[in-house]
Amino acid sequence: MTPAYLKDRADSVLDEADSPSEDEGAPLQRPSMFNLNPNIGTREMSEVNVQKSIFDNLDALRLSSSEAGVGAGVDREVESTIAVRRPRPREYFMVHPDPAMSLTTAVVFDREEMRNDVFFVAPNMRDMLVGETRPVLLVPAITRQDVMFIWPLPLPVDGRQNDWHERARLALERGKARWTRMAADMTLGTYRLYEPVEGQPDPVWPNRPLEEILKVAFAGKVIDSVDHPFVRRIQGRA
Amino acid sequence: MDCRQLPAVPFKNIYAVDFEYRADPGERPWPLCMVVKDLLTDAEHRYWRDALLNMRAAPFDVSHDSLVVAYSASAEIGCFLELDWPLPMNVLDLYAEHRVETNGRELLCGNGLLGALACRGLAHIDAGEKETMRRLVIERFEWLESEKQAILDYCASDVAGLAALFPAMAPMIDWPRALLRGRFAAALAHMERAGVPIDLPLHQRLVANWEPLKLALITDVDAEFGIYDGASFKTERFARWLIERDMPWPRLPSGRLMLDDETFKQQTMRWPELKRLRELRASLGRMRLTGLAVGADARNRCSLRAFMAATGRNQPSNTEFIFGPAKWMRGLIRPPEGWGIAYIDFAAQEIAIAAALSADQRMAEAYASSDPYLAFAREARLVPADATIETHGAVRDRCKAVMLGVNYGMASNAMAFRLGVTPIEARVLLQLHRRAYPQFWRWMDQSVSRAMATNEMMSVFGWRRHVGRTPKIPSLMNFPMQANGAEMMRIAAIAATEAGIEVVAPVHDAFMIVAPLHRLDEDVARMRAMMTAAGRAVTAGLDIRTEAKMVRWPDRFMSEGAEAMWLRVMALLDYVEVAQ
């Protein structure tokens, strides 16, 4: 609502914004203000075959902002990190829809002493870590804020279903086609699922194979020997 | 792109304007030159100071048909005021619009004109050259002809920057609201020009004796703590002091004690005996007294740095602005002889905004009851219906912390710490708030959810914030209250300055005004009426109360709870002056 004392000006601005100004639609009298040569437009300039001077086509010489090292594109992330976690209660996510971009495997959720680590368990260590490992589906997901993460969705153990996991599985399937949000409802004993009322653009997935994504996500977090700190700790050797 | 080809620019004339001016600390701007470029004809005109002083109005049309384009436009308007020129009817502040377009995004080149150009791929002079020219402007009062030419060229290069930036930004501009922000540039210029009246002789005494005064202050306050060694705060001694009193204290992940002012502020709420230590640290640690920008006419002036905060609120320098340093220093604020000052603030502004925007009727009723915190306590059945602040002050304070904390997205653990209760008790209090105001919570959840889906949030007058790659949910929860509070302040500032009220400073959710004594009551009444109208404009009808505190010459301004420290400093000042 516009206050009365602002109305006259704000309304007139609105009126003006709706109606074309007198100059609108008038034939263009002058070339673009960004052409250094006042007698020739950019398009015509590119069609000139013979240039009298190198300065006749400064547009061709001008460095773009990225070439000049300013503005967008001056840096790119080289040692990226990818979190391994479930979606947060407030964030909308989508899940990579390609079945080839998921992996059923075993991990360890280490939540002792305020830790919140997820370790990838190498096949040679699975037998040794029976009781500690959880079967999961690892799948890339991406937030509306363009942050990719690996979602380790727990799978039923010995066929035993769990409301939380079932509901999360449903969220994962929905997330392959649309933006989804899941938030725990402790009273209900499961996740509530949401989707945005208005449609949102689909994410742009990084063009990286799953192997490469997992390599980054589990960097330093692979249990592949009995000397791994986690194994040492549970065996009382740490 | 040619400006004439821009379909949505509703003006017959568009002028890019830039001044170069001296701005000594605390003083009004001293215009040196101006360059103006007609963006529709490309005609450029340059004026040196002597020509500007001979003009009674700007040498271009500033009427309803024309648009003045500037970057941080309050500086240009400040020069208009200094030259006593009629102000432009329509101002487009590309800085404000750049902030609206990019607020919350990571910008590699900052928010200056160069940064705004660079992030749109538009080249300009380099920052090194800008600094060289800036020094040439601010360090001299006389210039050679060649230097004048260089300064004019530099000024013209900024105008060329504006001319490049304007068509790049114009298609994204939300015109009605952009012009409202532009109109605020004039209000801002008025406030920055007015400045806060300061007791200059006393300020000079304090500055002249600051070093011995500091040591005397430490000796005096530290006598009951034993924490300082000379002028150094000893963390180990403080840790020991806490242990001896069994006083819990938050720590950094590294294990070190958190010693920032915010932590002290929170702790002081629980442990009032820390108050004097906090005041001492605030007074010493920041060394701000000597940085205060006071002009020869005894006014504290500095850039209010509008639109600097993500919420759109002002963010003036804590060093230069009198409301930045420790609260006792505000005792330096004193009206000139024959004048009075008034500090007028919106009462519980954030709760009123939350109630209005969420359309939570019960919260609106609690706000209307004049003590929303006690109303919540009653609603939650924590106190009987006839409870008062006298009978149930402690419960009321707890409810106040909850009501304000939820606006900041405070979770139960932080709330428990703040209130000195267990996390379970804090969780129960939050649950009671959820039950008392379910509509507010639905609205809050939906607001955050929408922001997370659309990647942006917006105030009712179009101040935008992008969510960014690493969203902080509490700050998204707080955004509607803060951003709309800022809108309310901007609208009130426009109304008041255009009505001729001398507003000398906006201070978060309050204004300070000055007026001759015979007009003080009347100006306060007008100011309050305009603030109420601004409140209604933002809340679409809810009346937001205001409270006014007036000070008449020869009295001085004093912040609540700061008087004891003020008196102590004044006594010590007398003492060190005599000792010297």
Side-chain angles (χ1 to χ4, degrees):
Chain A
M1 184 196 290
T2 310
Y5 50 82
L6 296 179
K7 237 181 170 48
D8 55 343
R9 197 186 284 199
D11 286 355
S12 64
V13 166
L14 277 167
D15 293 341
E16 285 191 30
D18 290 337
S19 57
S21 70
E22 284 178 16
D23 289 343
E24 229 174 82
L28 198 60
Q29 301 295 316
R30 293 175 57 81
S32 158
M33 56 199 276
F34 302 108
N35 287 344
L36 293 172
N37 181 343
N39 300 315
I40 192 165
T42 310
R43 190 175 298 164
E44 292 84 28
M45 188 178 277
S46 66
E47 290 163 5
V48 174
N49 291 326
V50 182
Q51 293 175 2
K52 290 177 182 169
S53 156
I54 190 168
F55 299 110
D56 281 349
N57 191 357
L58 286 183
D59 278 350
L61 302 179
R62 183 175 293 119
L63 294 176
S64 70
S65 57
S66 57
E67 288 167 328
V70 296
V74 298
D75 64 1
R76 62 193 170 90
E77 193 172 7
V78 285
E79 288 294 334
S80 57
T81 54
I82 298 171
V84 182
R85 61 173 177 84
R86 65 170 175 245
R88 299 202 172 106
R90 293 282 190 180
E91 75 191 2
Y92 284 96
F93 62 87
M94 282 189 77
V95 174
H96 206 298
D98 183 353
M101 290 294 284
S102 64
L103 176 73
T104 302
T105 187
V107 300
V108 165
F109 290 98
D110 183 9
R111 293 192 176 123
E112 261 186 44
E113 296 172 6
M114 309 288 283
R115 289 188 188 90
N116 202 11
D117 292 327
V118 183
F119 291 108
F120 190 95
V121 181
N124 63 313
M125 295 299 293
R126 283 181 193 156
D127 288 345
M128 179 174 285
L129 293 172
V130 167
E132 298 290 340
T133 58
R134 287 296 311 263
V136 292
L137 182 72
L138 297 178
V139 57
I142 195 165
T143 70
R144 267 293 285 134
Q145 285 68 45
D146 242 5
V147 176
M148 190 169 68
F149 60 98
I150 292 290
W151 182 2
L153 177 79
L155 299 173
V157 181
D158 301 332
R160 276 177 292 147
Q161 291 289 354
N162 165 320
D163 276 357
W164 294 96
H165 297 160
E166 261 185 66
R167 197 76 172 166
R169 173 88 199 189
L170 182 62
L172 185 144
E173 289 304 325
R174 284 183 66 88
K176 288 180 178 173
R178 68 201 75 170
W179 291 104
T180 302
R181 179 165 79 84
M182 64 179 224
D185 185 328
M186 304 309 281
T187 318
L188 201 61
T190 189
Y191 293 108
R192 284 183 183 274
L193 307 189
Y194 302 86
E195 64 182 20
V197 176
E198 300 155 24
Q200 300 298 330
D202 283 346
V204 179
W205 290 99
N207 190 18
R208 298 164 81 174
L210 183 65
E211 294 77 5
E212 194 184 309
I213 294 171
L214 293 180
K215 206 179 283 177
V216 175
F218 286 99
K221 291 193 174 169
V222 177
I223 300 176
D224 53 4
S225 85
V226 290
D227 288 326
H228 190 278
F230 177 80
V231 180
R232 293 173 68 89
R233 196 173 81 235
I234 61 168
Q235 290 181 340
R237 293 189 291 132
Chain B
M1 185 188 289
D2 192 315
C3 291
R4 295 171 62 115
Q5 292 175 311
L6 295 169
V9 183
F11 297 98
K12 289 180 184 166
N13 310 299
I14 307 171
Y15 302 107
V17 179
D18 190 52
F19 282 85
E20 297 306 322
Y21 57 91
R22 281 185 63 119
D24 294 335
E27 302 294 351
R28 300 198 307 225
W30 197 78
L32 200 59
C33 67
M34 179 185 76
V35 174
V36 55
K37 184 170 190 173
D38 184 328
L39 295 187
L40 299 181
T41 66
D42 276 356
E44 182 197 274
H45 299 281
R46 302 173 174 207
Y47 306 91
W48 191 253
R49 178 174 171 79
D50 46 0
L52 297 176
L53 292 176
N54 284 327
M55 294 174 185
R56 302 177 71 176
F60 50 89
D61 182 35
V62 294
S63 72
H64 193 80
D65 288 336
S66 299
L67 177 69
V68 167
V69 180
Y71 204 86
S72 288
S74 71
E76 272 56 51
I77 306 293
C79 290
F80 269 65
L81 291 171
E82 192 62 24
L83 294 163
D84 204 18
W85 290 354
L87 300 187
M89 284 290 292
N90 300 298
V91 175
L92 180 70
D93 185 347
L94 289 184
Y95 163 70
E97 300 318 302
H98 168 70
R99 291 282 294 128
V100 167
E101 204 180 313
T102 61
N103 184 26
R105 292 196 174 132
E106 287 173 29
L107 293 181
L108 293 168
C109 301
N111 288 310
L113 176 60
L114 300 188
L117 286 162
C119 78
R120 290 169 182 81
L122 302 167
H124 199 50
I125 63 169
D126 67 53
E129 183 183 349
K130 201 168 177 65
E131 178 58 19
T132 308
M133 296 310 296
R134 196 184 70 83
R135 299 199 75 81
L136 181 60
V137 169
I138 64 171
E139 288 178 352
R140 308 259 285 277
F141 275 105
E142 289 184 357
W143 295 266
L144 301 171
E145 277 308 312
S146 59
E147 288 171 334
K148 286 182 181 177
Q149 198 51 53
I151 292 170
L152 280 165
D153 285 347
Y154 163 61
C155 191
S157 79
D158 272 358
V159 170
L162 285 172
L165 193 55
F166 174 69
M169 291 179 66
M172 305 293 290
I173 286 174
D174 168 14
W175 282 98
R177 278 150 289 274
L179 293 176
L180 184 64
R181 286 184 283 273
R183 196 165 169 178
F184 174 66
L188 192 64
H190 277 289
M191 294 188 288
E192 288 176 339
R193 178 180 170 79
V196 182
I198 296 290
D199 182 342
L200 187 58
L202 183 56
H203 176 244
Q204 287 167 342
R205 279 177 64 203
L206 282 168
V207 171
N209 293 285
W210 186 237
E211 287 305 319
L213 181 63
K214 238 171 49 177
L215 293 174
L217 203 53
I218 291 169
T219 308
D220 184 65
V221 175
D222 195 45
E224 62 184 278
F225 294 96
I227 288 165
Y228 278 82
D229 179 7
S232 304
F233 182 90
K234 291 291 171 191
T235 311
E236 325 79 71
R237 292 188 195 173
F238 182 54
R240 215 161 35 238
W241 188 90
L242 293 172
I243 291 165
E244 284 163 8
R245 280 150 193 83
D246 203 14
M247 203 180 274
W249 198 271
R251 290 176 183 272
L252 295 165
S254 65
R256 293 172 66 89
L257 293 171
M258 288 172 70
L259 296 173
D260 58 291
D261 189 53
E262 187 54 35
T263 302
F264 264 91
K265 183 178 169 187
Q266 297 296 331
Q267 291 291 81
T268 303
M269 287 181 197
R270 262 180 87 181
W271 315 96
E273 58 266 48
L274 286 163
K275 187 180 170 197
R276 278 159 41 90
L277 186 62
R278 181 190 167 216
E279 284 174 336
L280 177 67
R281 282 176 55 81
S283 308
L284 305 177
R286 296 175 240 169
M287 292 285 294
R288 284 171 182 163
L289 182 69
T290 48
L292 201 63
V294 185
D297 62 350
R299 293 282 179 135
N300 166 229
R301 291 189 189 86
C302 62
S303 167
L304 294 170
R305 301 206 288 188
F307 304 112
M308 193 73 113
T311 56
R313 288 201 186 267
N314 310 323
Q315 216 166 54
S317 153
N318 276 336
T319 310
E320 296 173 8
F321 191 41
I322 183 65
F323 291 94
K327 279 188 171 180
W328 66 265
M329 292 187 195
R330 297 177 196 175
L332 285 169
I333 301 172
R334 191 184 195 194
E337 188 172 352
W339 289 67
I341 56 178
Y343 185 86
I344 308 163
D345 69 335
F346 284 111
Q349 185 196 47
E350 290 158 25
I351 291 173
I353 293 171
L357 297 188
S358 67
D360 190 311
Q361 194 54 36
R362 283 154 85 180
M363 190 179 275
E365 284 165 14
Y367 180 75
S369 73
S370 84
D371 190 335
Y373 316 120
L374 208 47
F376 165 45
R378 287 195 200 100
E379 187 77 45
R381 302 193 178 173
L382 292 167
V383 298
D386 59 354
T388 64
I389 191 167
E390 287 77 24
T391 59
H392 293 81
V395 180
R396 178 199 174 268
D397 286 349
R398 204 168 276 191
C399 288
K400 179 178 179 179
V402 173
M403 279 194 102
L404 296 177
V406 295
N407 280 352
Y408 288 88
M410 196 180 273
S412 54
N413 282 349
M415 186 96 53
F417 187 78
R418 180 166 183 169
L419 296 175
V421 298
T422 64
I424 291 173
E425 286 173 298
R427 214 169 296 149
V428 169
L429 282 169
L430 282 171
Q431 206 50 252
L432 288 172
H433 190 276
R434 277 183 178 272
R435 273 187 216 150
Y437 308 114
Q439 174 59 26
F440 162 78
W441 280 96
R442 264 196 299 279
W443 168 79
M444 175 72 91
D445 285 343
Q446 284 167 9
S447 300
V448 174
S449 187
R450 184 187 158 79
M452 292 295 283
T454 61
N455 269 332
E456 67 176 32
M457 279 187 123
M458 211 175 276
S459 72
V460 296
F461 284 99
W463 178 257
R464 183 193 287 129
R465 183 213 154 122
H466 295 279
V467 167
R469 281 173 62 84
T470 48
K472 292 189 173 64
I473 302 301
S475 111
L476 295 182
M477 290 170 81
N478 193 27
F479 179 83
M481 275 59 83
Q482 297 301 329
N484 287 300
E487 296 282 16
M488 202 179 288
M489 291 293 288
R490 284 198 284 274
I491 292 168
I494 293 169
T497 52
E498 290 184 1
I501 292 176
E502 191 172 347
V503 184
V504 297
V507 191
H508 191 67
D509 59 358
F511 289 101
M512 179 168 274
I513 68 168
V514 301
L517 285 173
H518 68 270
R519 220 183 61 205
L520 184 62
D521 289 333
E522 183 193 333
D523 277 10
V524 168
R526 290 168 67 214
M527 185 74 203
R528 294 182 72 173
M530 280 182 269
M531 288 171 70
T532 302
R536 273 197 222 110
V538 169
T539 62
L542 184 78
D543 276 340
I544 302 194
R545 292 185 301 279
T546 59
E547 290 164 358
K549 177 182 170 186
M550 283 185 265
V551 178
R552 292 176 164 79
W553 186 87
D555 293 342
R556 64 179 68 249
F557 181 76
M558 195 57 65
S559 279
E560 200 180 318
E563 193 164 9
M565 186 70 171
W566 171 262
L567 293 173
R568 182 180 296 264
V569 172
M570 290 302 108
L572 288 171
L573 178 62
D574 290 340
Y575 167 76
V576 296
E577 279 181 328
V578 169
Q580 284 182 337

